Amino acid sequence: MKRPVEKDIPKGYDSNWEYELHQGILDNWEFHTDKVPYVVEHTYSPDFIKTLNGKKILLETKGRFWDYAEYSKYIWIKKILPDDTELVFLFANPNAPMPQAKRRKDGTKRSHGEWASANNFQWFSEDSIPDNWINAKKREDFNDER
């Protein structure tokens, strides 16, 4: 059911009822003076995990992002990671446009790689992932099979 739209709500209030309460039986209460941060608890399962040079790498492989909810969650995940853990992306096509990206004056759209860089994520493609992160002997065979 769609939430109805109230009209003529006094400035600073979320509803007319809230205003009426504050002017009436709750007139000696503080109104909207505090903010209470809260967290919605979720879990994240990284695609691949490896410890390299004393740092735990969570490698997230992405063909593409589908929507804002999907790619924004990684920013939240990054915020809670310990200092010895890093979330890194491996993109199938780092030049693929982000979902709902606006077209720039030059006709391009923000890419997956640009998004990752702008949000301080390290990222790679299959061709650029460092040899010491992978089985480099299999890289050529892997590319030939595709």
Side-chain angles (χ1 to χ4, degrees):
M1 181 171 169
K2 190 174 179 183
R3 183 178 184 167
V5 177
E6 268 190 270
K7 295 180 182 178
D8 303 320
I9 299 171
K11 185 173 172 93
Y13 292 89
D14 298 327
S15 68
N16 284 311
W17 187 55
E18 213 175 60
Y19 174 77
E20 290 167 11
L21 288 168
H22 195 230
Q23 299 308 305
I25 64 172
L26 298 178
D27 65 344
N28 62 351
W29 284 63
E30 293 180 31
F31 180 74
H32 282 205
T33 57
D34 273 346
K35 293 189 185 268
V36 178
Y38 68 95
V39 175
V40 177
E41 197 168 314
H42 291 280
T43 58
Y44 165 63
S45 298
D47 293 330
F48 298 91
I49 300 172
K50 185 171 182 127
T51 300
L52 295 163
N53 302 322
K55 185 170 246 185
K56 183 186 232 180
I57 303 297
L58 310 179
L59 188 63
E60 184 65 26
T61 59
K62 281 287 161 202
R64 63 168 291 146
F65 290 119
W66 292 99
D67 58 26
Y68 173 81
E70 181 185 12
Y71 61 82
S72 65
K73 79 177 180 184
Y74 296 109
I75 295 168
W76 292 105
I77 292 165
K78 182 179 181 176
K79 288 181 181 193
I80 60 95
L81 292 176
D83 291 340
D84 66 345
T85 305
E86 183 178 5
L87 177 58
V88 178
F89 287 93
L90 178 61
F91 292 121
N93 179 4
N95 297 316
M98 291 294 289
Q100 295 92 34
K102 293 180 181 174
R103 192 167 299 279
R104 299 176 182 139
K105 290 181 182 179
D106 68 0
T108 62
K109 292 183 176 184
R110 183 180 222 189
S111 71
H112 284 61
E114 289 171 323
W115 172 87
S117 294
N119 287 286
N120 297 313
F121 287 105
Q122 187 174 186
W123 63 270
F124 300 102
S125 67
E126 287 177 38
D127 295 330
S128 68
I129 192 166
D131 284 347
N132 65 328
W133 283 37
I134 62 170
N135 183 336
K137 292 177 186 172
K138 291 189 174 182
R139 184 193 306 258
E140 194 171 311
D141 293 338
F142 184 75
N143 288 333
D144 288 344
E145 291 173 8
R146 298 181 61 189

